[in-house]
Amino acid sequence: MVQDMFKGIAVVDHKDWKNPKKVEFPAKTFYDNDIDIKIEACGVCGSDIHCAAGHWGDKAMPLVVGHEIIGKVVKLGSKCNTGLKVGDRVGVGAQVFSCLDCDRCKNNNEPYCPKFVTTYSQPYADGYVSQGGYANFVRVHEHFAVKIPENIPSHLAAPLLCGGITVYSPLLRNGCGPGKKVGIVGIGGIGHMGVLFAKAMGAEVYAISRSNAKKEDAMKLGADHYIATKEDPDWGTKYFDTFDLIVVCASSLSDIDFNVMPRAMKVGGRIVSISVPEENEVLTLKPFGLLGVSIANSMLGSIKEIEQLLKLVSEKNIKIWVETLPIGEAGVKEAFERMDKGDVRYRFTLVDYEKEFD
Ligand code: NAP
Ligand code: ZN
Ligand code: ZN
């Protein structure tokens, strides 16, 4: 059987990750529940940087990252039955497969299924290593494609599919809402969406960043308060007994003092981290500080939660802050270089796919 070929912008060597190359690569086998999506936009997630740079170990090359994908359905498998049609505009996030049959999958916890396959750099059961959205097409199981509401433009929809859902799920699952004091630590791509969503959900929101550099932006995003942790190293004591929930959205925990943060929590308060830092990073904690406080970790969100998030963004007309770059070797290089320096306010979305690939 001749395999279909897709085109993408790939990392070809971790050591030279900031010089991605245009490549052709074989598509995965098309199964009966699969769909093909012609991509028109893809966000640049902090995870793309970690994976491309080799922070999570050596990955198979060429490596096409990107898991905040928006595009049009162009082909449907014979057993597709979720109601998607050719021409529908859909999004795909950081998960492209799970068993859909275990208790976790059946209870809207697909991200925690042991058969989870991530959108790029992970082998499927048949051995094919998944490839992401810095490409002209993506082929996925239809369950992992979600219809995008008409009033959200593709460049603003893309980052919701991974970054957005990653902060929305822990906000939703941990009671963010009116009367709650919620902190967002790390005001990057995910954190800035966290401020917007927590506010839209009705909470009193504290943006918590290392320096004062993002204060003005955080206030424009709707934060009610701002804490610069490096300016105020003992901020946990200053804000004693304040927070119901803190979601940690930083790409590294090296500059976050986990012995200070719990002091600012209410009894029963929860600190949920979504950080997936460089693989050798370790977290040290003094157990004393944790009395009465829970610490947890969260992974993406379910398809149902993605649909809920899209509805919230559509109905409340929430505008995330995005800078677009054209897909291509130069555009991806610029995205990688600037993300690595933290020089983005606050998410890149790659666009102009037809110019590069058609
Ligand atoms: P990003 O746009 O690069 O933002 C990261 C933010 O982290 C920065 O803006 C900065 O905020 C803070 N930061 C950077 N270096 C730090 C350090 N050494 N110590 C403390 N804070 C630091 O990245 P992102 O796309 O938001 O992604 C953030 C993390 O989420 C990444 O690790 C990514 O892999 C992970 N992620 C997890 C999931 C999941 O399901 N769990 C899903 C997607 C992504 P300030 O300048 O405000 O301090
Ligand atoms: Zn499962
Ligand atoms: Zn991501």
Side-chain angles (χ1 to χ4, degrees):
M1 191 182 84
V2 184
Q3 256 183 309
D4 295 325
M5 296 298 285
F6 293 167
K7 288 177 204 154
I9 308 297
V11 175
V12 292
D13 179 354
H14 286 304
K15 287 191 206 78
D16 195 28
W17 67 280
K18 285 181 191 159
N19 284 305
K21 299 279 178 268
K22 189 168 184 176
V23 298
E24 276 204 285
F25 61 92
K28 82 178 196 74
T29 303
F30 191 91
Y31 295 111
D32 292 342
N33 282 101
D34 282 344
I35 63 173
D36 278 350
I37 298 166
K38 187 173 193 290
I39 302 177
E40 55 188 49
C42 186
V44 178
C45 179
S47 299
D48 299 353
I49 306 306
H50 286 311
C51 197
H55 295 167
W56 296 341
D58 288 343
K59 302 297 179 191
M61 299 286 155
L63 165 65
V64 178
V65 297
H67 57 206
E68 298 184 335
I69 301 169
I70 304 291
K72 297 253 168 64
V73 177
V74 292
K75 181 178 168 186
L76 291 155
S78 60
K79 291 201 178 134
C80 284
N81 60 8
T82 57
L84 288 176
K85 294 186 294 298
V86 167
D88 282 348
R89 190 171 60 124
V90 294
V92 173
Q95 178 171 17
V96 286
F97 192 80
S98 73
C99 80
L100 301 180
D101 197 37
C102 69
D103 281 349
R104 292 175 173 207
C105 285
K106 285 180 176 157
N107 289 292
N108 294 307
N109 277 318
E110 305 97 312
Y112 303 96
C113 173
K115 301 264 170 69
F116 179 106
V117 177
T118 186
T119 303
Y120 53 78
S121 79
Q122 190 182 341
Y124 279 92
D126 68 4
Y128 179 86
V129 177
S130 57
Q131 295 280 25
Y134 298 2
N136 54 350
F137 292 95
V138 69
R139 176 171 292 172
V140 294
H141 188 293
E142 62 165 345
H143 178 79
F144 294 96
V146 184
K147 267 191 89 164
I148 304 298
E150 259 175 37
N151 70 336
I152 312 177
S154 293
H155 70 290
L156 300 184
L160 304 173
L161 272 296
C162 173
I165 190 57
T166 294
V167 65
Y168 181 64
S169 175
L171 289 170
L172 196 64
R173 291 182 184 211
N174 294 284
C176 177
K180 295 293 165 69
K181 294 189 178 172
V182 173
I184 302 289
V185 172
I187 309 302
I190 297 182
H192 101 282
M193 290 189 261
V195 171
L196 286 164
F197 303 159
K199 194 68 199 162
M201 293 162 91
E204 185 174 334
V205 180
Y206 292 68
I208 305 171
S209 187
R210 288 167 297 170
S211 72
N212 270 313
K214 297 174 184 172
K215 185 167 184 177
E216 221 184 296
D217 287 351
M219 294 313 188
K220 282 189 202 148
L221 287 164
D224 301 286
H225 312 272
Y226 188 90
I227 300 172
T229 53
K230 294 254 174 188
E231 304 294 324
D232 208 351
D234 196 21
W235 64 276
T237 302
K238 183 165 166 191
Y239 291 90
F240 174 75
D241 208 24
T242 298
F243 293 99
D244 298 283
L245 172 65
I246 285 185
V247 183
V248 178
C249 301
S251 53
S252 160
L253 301 180
S254 66
D255 274 350
I256 290 172
D257 190 341
F258 262 89
N259 296 310
V260 169
M261 200 182 317
R263 276 181 230 148
M265 304 308 291
K266 288 184 182 159
V267 174
R270 297 183 193 179
I271 298 172
V272 183
S273 170
I274 61 88
S275 186
V276 190
E278 200 265 309
E279 65 175 350
N280 294 319
E281 213 177 90
V282 286
L283 178 61
T284 49
L285 284 171
K286 286 188 191 155
F288 259 104
L290 294 177
L291 301 176
V293 175
S294 307
I295 295 196
N297 222 284
S298 177
M299 168 86 166
L300 309 176
S302 67
I303 292 298
K304 198 172 159 203
E305 287 169 325
I306 295 177
E307 286 166 351
Q308 267 175 279
L309 171 63
L310 290 167
K311 189 161 178 276
L312 179 82
V313 170
S314 163
E315 287 178 0
K316 299 218 167 186
N317 202 16
I318 298 170
K319 294 274 186 255
I320 65 168
W321 292 14
V322 164
E323 192 177 329
T324 57
L325 285 171
I327 182 86
E329 290 178 357
V332 174
K333 179 182 172 66
E334 182 175 343
F336 282 174
E337 283 176 343
R338 289 181 51 198
M339 279 287 282
D340 197 36
K341 284 189 280 188
D343 174 23
V344 51
R345 295 289 184 272
Y346 279 84
R347 196 54 137 200
F348 289 121
T349 299
L350 298 163
V351 295
D352 292 347
Y353 273 64
E354 65 296 343
K355 276 193 210 150
E356 176 69 17
F357 294 120
D358 288 358

